[in-house]
Each structure stands twice: as structure tokens, then as C-alpha cells.
Amino acid sequence: MLCLIVCIMPCLAAEEGAENVTEATEVTTEATTEATTKKGEETTKKAESTTKKETVTKKTEKEEQEEETEKIPEVTEDMSQPRLMVTSYSVEGDFLTPEKVGVISISLKNTHNSKSVKNIKLSLSEELDEICPEGLGTKYVSNISAGSTYTWSVKVETVHNAIVGVHKLNFICEYEDKNGTPYSENATLRVEVRQPVKLTFDGVKLPVKVVQEDTVTLNINLMNTGKSTLYNCKVDFDIEGLESGGSSFAGEIPVGESKTATANLRVDSEKTGNVKGTIKITYEDAFGKSYEQTAEVNTIIEKKVIKAEKTEEEEPKNPLWWLFILVGLIVGGGAGFGIPFAINSKKQREEDEKRL
């Protein structure tokens, strides 16, 4: 019995100790859980507080950035195209002619307000090849800044048989912007070509002497020896003592042809002696430009000789004039009959003598 009690007691003590340990463990676990929970709550509160602070900080930074963005204007790249344009052009002397080398001046402007252009090539040509630029007809320009102007003066030659009138020149401009983007511009330039005009004439000469109240006829031959048609050709006279009655009009004379201007000059009835004056020839080219040539002439005006007038009273004729005519006829007729009769009688006598 005692042994049984001894054996049971340790077991009971062990069980009680186990229960106490379990209870202690449970208490410790609960305490640890509570502490952990409190710590977690505190950590959460700190995290929430930190999050709130970060949120406030971020919000403040964002507001500051927005305010700074509002203060600083947004910068965008200008994509507009720089443009070169022909603003003016001129021809030295106003027109071109085969007689001399001409100069054409072309002014270019960069119309952009901020962009410059570079690597510029200028070209000038004509389809008919009657106006030929010096060299290859090209020009290189390194740069034209924004808003600036550049003038190209190019020498040109006109062929001797170029058509008279307005010619079209083709002007090309090739260039790049700062990024190397290529551009080009074309323009048509209109210039005048004029051929030299030339007129020769003959027949502008008065007779050495003229008589009062006579009419002197002049035939003046006008010849177009130039390379352009002549228009409104006429001849005017300013000669002392001779009146023309107006201009002598020849009109249009094509290249290589001629026309005659005829004038009848009436000699004055009062003027005598040596007189002189001027014959003026005027004409125009295809552009209306007037030309003039003159020639000096002279002559001598002689006084008109008037024949003596017949007397009003003629001497009376012999009333027997018819008798004298009749006697003459009879005498003449008799002589005409007697001479042949005498000749025949003489021949007859000579024949009779030969027979004897």
C-alpha cells in the first residue's frame, strides 16, 4: 500500500507540474501575443504616421513642382520652314543686247525671323539658250542668316540672232536648314532683248539748179540694214524756198527690205539764189524708241523767165495775098512742066543727029 502510494505520488506531482507549466506557458504566450499586438499597433501607428508625413511631403513637393512648372514656360521646337525668296531683280541698262555683255542683279531674302539657311546653290538658265550666263550659270553661298538679304550679280551674253522681245529666265535656289533638311525655290525672271537698229538711205539730193514755181520730185530709198523691224518711218523737209506740203510716210520696213519715200517740192515764186536746208528721217524700233537721221541739202533757185507777150494789134495783111499765091502756083507749075519738056526735046535732037 505504501508502495502504491509512493508510486502514485510522483505521477501526481508530475501531472501537477505539467499542468502548471502549461498554464505558465499559456500565460506567457498570452502576454507575448498582447505585447506583440501592442507593438504591432504601435508600429502600424508609426507607419500610418510616416505614410501621412510622406503623403504630406509628396503633396507639398508636387505642389511646388506645379508652381515651378507654372513659373517656367514650356519650350517647344519650331518646325516651320525657312524660306528664301526673290524680292527684286534688275537689268543693267534696262535691257539686253548682243552688242555688249549684260548684268542681271537678283536679290534674295531669308524671310524667317529666327532660322538661318546654309549650303545655298543658285542657278540661272534660259530654255532657248539665247541668253547665256557667265561660266556655268551657278553660284554657291555658305549662309544667309534670318531676315538677311543677299544679292547675286551675274554677267550674261546675248547671241547675235536672239529674238527681239521678252525672254523668260529660270532661277533656282537650293538650300538647307540647320538640321540639313533640303529645300528649293524657283522663280521666273522676265528680261527684254533688243537688237540694234540701222537704216541707210540714198536719193537725198536736190538738183544743182531749180526754177521759181517749178516742182522738184525726190525719191528717197530707205533700207533696213539692221536686225530689227523698223516702224513709222517718215521723211520731213525743212528747206528754204521749197515747200513739201507735209511728211512723206514710208511706214514699216522689215529686216533686209527697203521702201521708197516720194516727195514733190514746190519752188517758191519769190526766193532766188543759193538756198539750203535739212532732210530728216525718223523711225522707231519694236519697243517704241525713236531714232533720227538727217542730211544737209542745197540748191540754187533761178528766176523764172517770162516770154514777151504778143501785141494786141497785128499788122493788117495785104488784101491781094491770094493773088500772089495764085501767081506763085502758076509760075511753079509752068516751071515744073517746062523743064521735063526741054530735057526730052534735047534727047530727041541728039538721036536725030546720030541717024544722019
Side-chain angles (χ1 to χ4, degrees):
M1 186 62 137
L2 182 61
C3 292
L4 180 60
I5 292 171
V6 172
C7 292
I8 292 172
M9 287 300 290
C11 293
L12 291 173
E15 288 178 0
E16 289 179 359
E19 289 177 357
N20 293 332
V21 171
T22 301
E23 290 176 359
T25 302
E26 288 177 357
V27 172
T28 303
T29 302
E30 288 178 358
T32 303
T33 302
E34 289 179 0
T36 302
T37 301
K38 289 182 180 180
K39 188 175 182 179
E41 290 177 353
E42 291 177 357
T43 303
T44 301
K45 290 180 179 180
K46 289 181 180 181
E48 289 178 353
S49 177
T50 303
T51 302
K52 289 181 180 179
K53 289 181 180 180
E54 290 178 353
T55 302
V56 172
T57 303
K58 288 181 180 180
K59 185 176 180 181
T60 304
E61 290 178 353
K62 186 176 180 180
E63 290 176 353
E64 289 178 353
Q65 288 177 355
E66 288 178 354
E67 290 177 358
E68 290 178 357
T69 302
E70 290 178 358
K71 292 179 182 179
I72 301 174
E74 185 178 356
V75 178
T76 58
E77 184 179 358
D78 186 0
M79 300 301 293
S80 60
Q81 172 188 339
R83 191 177 298 279
L84 282 179
M85 296 185 64
V86 175
T87 56
S88 65
Y89 67 95
S90 61
V91 179
E92 186 179 54
D94 296 331
F95 60 88
L96 300 176
T97 174
E99 294 181 327
K100 63 179 182 179
V101 175
V103 178
I104 300 176
S105 297
I106 307 168
S107 294
L108 283 169
K109 183 177 182 179
N110 181 357
T111 59
H112 205 281
N113 58 3
S114 62
K115 290 185 178 182
S116 62
V117 294
K118 62 180 182 178
N119 199 25
I120 306 161
K121 178 185 176 183
L122 309 178
S123 304
L124 187 67
S125 62
E126 192 220 9
E127 292 181 359
L128 300 177
D129 285 334
E130 293 187 347
I131 300 175
C132 305
E134 183 182 43
L136 298 177
T138 58
K139 174 73 173 180
Y140 176 79
V141 181
S142 60
N143 180 77
I144 300 178
S145 58
S148 296
T149 300
Y150 175 82
T151 300
W152 180 29
S153 295
V154 54
K155 294 181 179 180
V156 296
E157 291 185 357
T158 307
V159 298
H160 72 281
N161 59 344
I163 298 173
V164 175
V166 177
H167 287 241
K168 296 180 180 180
L169 300 179
N170 186 29
F171 175 75
I172 302 175
C173 178
E174 301 171 80
Y175 57 97
E176 299 175 355
D177 61 14
K178 65 177 182 179
N179 299 319
T181 306
Y183 303 98
S184 66
E185 292 289 338
N186 290 14
T188 300
L189 313 182
R190 292 174 171 83
V191 298
E192 285 186 2
V193 172
R194 300 186 184 183
Q195 288 284 3
V197 296
K198 188 176 181 181
L199 180 140
T200 58
F201 54 89
D202 58 24
V204 183
K205 189 176 181 180
L206 294 174
V208 177
K209 294 181 180 181
V210 295
V211 179
Q212 289 176 334
E213 298 183 1
D214 280 358
T215 299
V216 179
T217 300
L218 288 182
N219 293 314
I220 303 173
N221 189 32
L222 307 174
M223 296 166 284
N224 183 354
T225 55
K227 296 180 180 179
S228 179
T229 301
L230 304 179
Y231 300 89
N232 298 325
C233 301
K234 65 177 182 177
V235 182
D236 291 293
F237 305 87
D238 184 13
I239 307 171
E240 184 183 7
L242 279 77
E243 179 60 39
S244 64
S247 302
S248 180
F249 189 73
E252 180 180 324
I253 307 178
V255 177
E257 297 186 14
S258 61
K259 282 190 176 181
T260 300
T262 301
N264 294 316
L265 307 178
R266 177 73 174 175
V267 183
D268 193 282
S269 60
E270 301 294 333
K271 188 72 176 179
T272 59
N274 294 325
V275 295
K276 59 183 179 179
T278 303
I279 295 178
K280 181 173 67 176
I281 302 171
T282 57
Y283 50 94
E284 298 175 356
D285 62 14
F287 299 91
K289 183 179 178 180
S290 297
Y291 300 84
E292 178 181 305
Q293 296 187 52
T294 59
E296 301 295 329
V297 293
N298 59 79
T299 187
I300 299 173
I301 299 178
E302 293 184 340
K303 187 174 182 179
K304 184 176 182 179
V305 177
I306 301 175
K307 294 181 180 180
E309 296 181 358
K310 294 182 179 180
T311 56
E312 294 181 359
E313 296 182 0
E314 295 182 354
E315 295 181 0
K317 295 181 179 179
N318 193 323
L320 299 178
W321 60 271
W322 58 272
L323 181 60
F324 290 106
I325 293 175
L326 180 60
V327 172
L329 290 175
I330 294 173
V331 172
F337 175 78
I339 292 172
F341 181 78
I343 294 172
N344 290 333
S345 297
K346 183 178 180 181
K347 289 181 178 180
Q348 187 64 36
R349 285 196 301 271
E350 289 178 351
E351 291 178 355
D352 291 342
E353 288 178 356
K354 288 179 181 180
R355 291 192 190 101
L356 298 175

